[in-house]
Amino acid sequence: MEEKLSPEISHQENANQYPVLDRVDSLDAPSLGGSVQNEEIEPQVGVLTWLVVLSCSLGWMSIVWTLVAIGLQQASLVALVRGDPKNGVWIQNAATTVTVVLSVPIARMSDNIGRKYLILGCQAIGVIGTFLIGGATSLGMAIAGSCLYGVMFSIGPLLYAIPAEILPRRYRGIANCCANFGSTSGGILAGVAGQRISTFTVGGVPGTRWAFYLPALLQTKLRKDGLFHHKMFNHRNFPLALVCIFTEGIFYYVFNAYYGAQTGLLYTQSPEGIGFRFACFFFPQLPLYVIVGYVTARIRKFKACIVAGFVIFLGAMIVS
């Protein structure tokens, strides 16, 4: 490496501890100084590598399944526990608040203590929280469960980072698309299967509760790997990415919290009808992930796909 890093960064980026740190990427792979890009050592890709990618994808599936279930089942859950409908939105707000508070510390902790057991611990807490939401006997209990679920949601960035770091750079777009494919599948399952299940009583347990029990059972083990190179965060693409994620997050959480209630008020009160309409948000994403993953792997440029996606996204939000 041509540039001399500070002792703190040099210690964190010890090549023996984190063997994949020489890989740097950004929207259009700009030069970040030095010869870091030209020194990339591609990792070996085998069956175990793709199993890790699959486990991260399934992790995102369970996370989004629960998140969508919170939005769609919010009114039913509040009615089930005889809570105040005005406070029902706090079931989702509690999870997002915990996620905002813990995401950065958890990511930083993974730099220092490793990822495997940190991820497994957060997942275990999230599973307990999801079961608490499903088995809540009061609105406060549901909100408390949502807080615990937020701990699991806080590992979301790590589930993107791990596939991107254990695969060669040319597959990095595909790695992110695999994670998104899992999250989209979770949204569809929550919207279609989850809403359908909510209309039944299984073993004397209302279907609304099973809508939360099922994603809790989906949790799986993940593993730890290296970190992104720290020079990546000195480039202008990092704040630009934060702005894009922040904008997307605002619109999605508003959609997740209120679309089900809006659909029930204006169009249909059928759980299946509401769930299918909600799932339509996810259906087009599945083929697009395959296309975008292939295109970015071929041209190794992300900017055009991101700009096109946000233009479509903006148009859809204006229309809706």
Side-chain angles (χ1 to χ4, degrees):
M1 196 171 191
E2 296 180 2
E3 293 186 347
K4 184 177 180 180
L5 302 178
S6 66
E8 178 182 358
I9 295 179
S10 298
H11 174 72
Q12 293 172 349
E13 298 178 353
N14 186 288
N16 294 328
Q17 184 177 5
Y18 303 114
V20 296
L21 286 178
D22 287 334
R23 303 200 306 278
V24 181
D25 198 9
S26 59
L27 294 181
D28 283 333
S31 175
L32 300 182
S35 59
V36 176
Q37 292 180 355
N38 296 327
E39 297 175 359
E40 174 177 352
I41 300 176
E42 292 192 350
Q44 297 295 322
V45 178
V47 175
L48 181 59
T49 305
W50 290 109
L51 287 176
V52 173
V53 174
L54 176 61
S55 68
C56 292
S57 180
L58 291 176
W60 261 116
M61 179 186 292
S62 64
I63 289 174
V64 174
W65 189 341
T66 302
L67 179 64
V68 173
I70 290 175
L72 290 179
Q73 302 292 336
Q74 176 179 298
S76 300
L77 187 60
V78 171
L80 188 63
V81 300
R82 299 180 180 179
D84 186 351
K86 294 181 181 178
N87 295 326
V89 70
W90 280 103
I91 301 176
Q92 176 170 297
N93 287 348
T96 55
T97 301
V98 172
T99 302
V100 169
V101 172
L102 293 184
S103 289
V104 174
I106 286 177
R108 182 57 180 168
M109 287 176 62
S110 72
D111 290 4
N112 298 319
I113 67 175
R115 300 191 174 186
K116 180 177 182 179
Y117 296 107
L118 181 62
I119 289 176
L120 293 178
C122 291
Q123 282 190 308
I125 295 173
V127 169
I128 295 173
T130 305
F131 274 115
L132 281 178
I133 299 173
T137 56
S138 67
L139 185 57
M141 184 176 176
I143 293 174
S146 182
C147 289
L148 296 180
Y149 159 74
V151 176
M152 180 175 67
F153 202 175
S154 300
I155 67 171
L158 303 183
L159 299 183
Y160 277 112
I162 291 174
E165 293 166 348
I166 63 176
L167 291 173
R169 184 163 56 184
R170 65 178 181 273
Y171 295 142
R172 199 159 295 167
I174 296 177
N176 288 334
C177 287
C178 287
N180 286 338
F181 196 93
S183 64
T184 297
S185 300
I188 292 175
L189 286 171
V192 179
Q195 286 295 91
R196 180 60 178 169
I197 292 171
S198 68
T199 62
F200 297 101
T201 298
V202 182
V205 179
T208 298
R209 300 193 186 280
W210 281 107
F212 294 98
Y213 293 157
L214 291 179
L217 298 174
L218 186 61
Q219 297 306 306
T220 185
K221 293 184 178 181
L222 303 176
R223 53 170 283 188
K224 67 177 182 178
D225 268 284
L227 312 172
F228 285 121
H229 198 289
H230 283 72
K231 289 184 71 65
M232 173 182 174
F233 303 104
N234 297 329
H235 193 267
R236 65 181 176 83
N237 285 340
F238 180 61
L240 287 175
L242 290 181
V243 171
C244 291
I245 294 171
F246 176 76
T247 304
E248 180 185 6
I250 289 177
F251 285 111
Y252 176 75
Y253 278 107
V254 171
F255 172 79
N256 194 76
Y258 297 108
Y259 182 81
Q262 179 184 7
T263 302
L265 180 64
L266 298 178
Y267 303 110
T268 178
Q269 294 185 350
S270 167
E272 295 95 330
I274 296 174
F276 181 79
R277 285 172 169 80
F278 192 98
C280 287
F281 170 80
F282 295 101
F283 285 136
Q285 298 179 33
L286 295 178
L288 285 175
Y289 288 144
V290 178
I291 297 173
V292 172
Y294 175 78
V295 170
T296 55
R298 293 284 296 178
I299 68 176
R300 301 190 183 186
K301 293 182 181 294
F302 301 96
K303 186 179 297 182
C305 293
I306 293 174
V307 172
F310 267 88
V311 169
I312 297 173
F313 179 61
L314 177 63
M317 297 309 299
I318 293 175
V319 172
S320 59

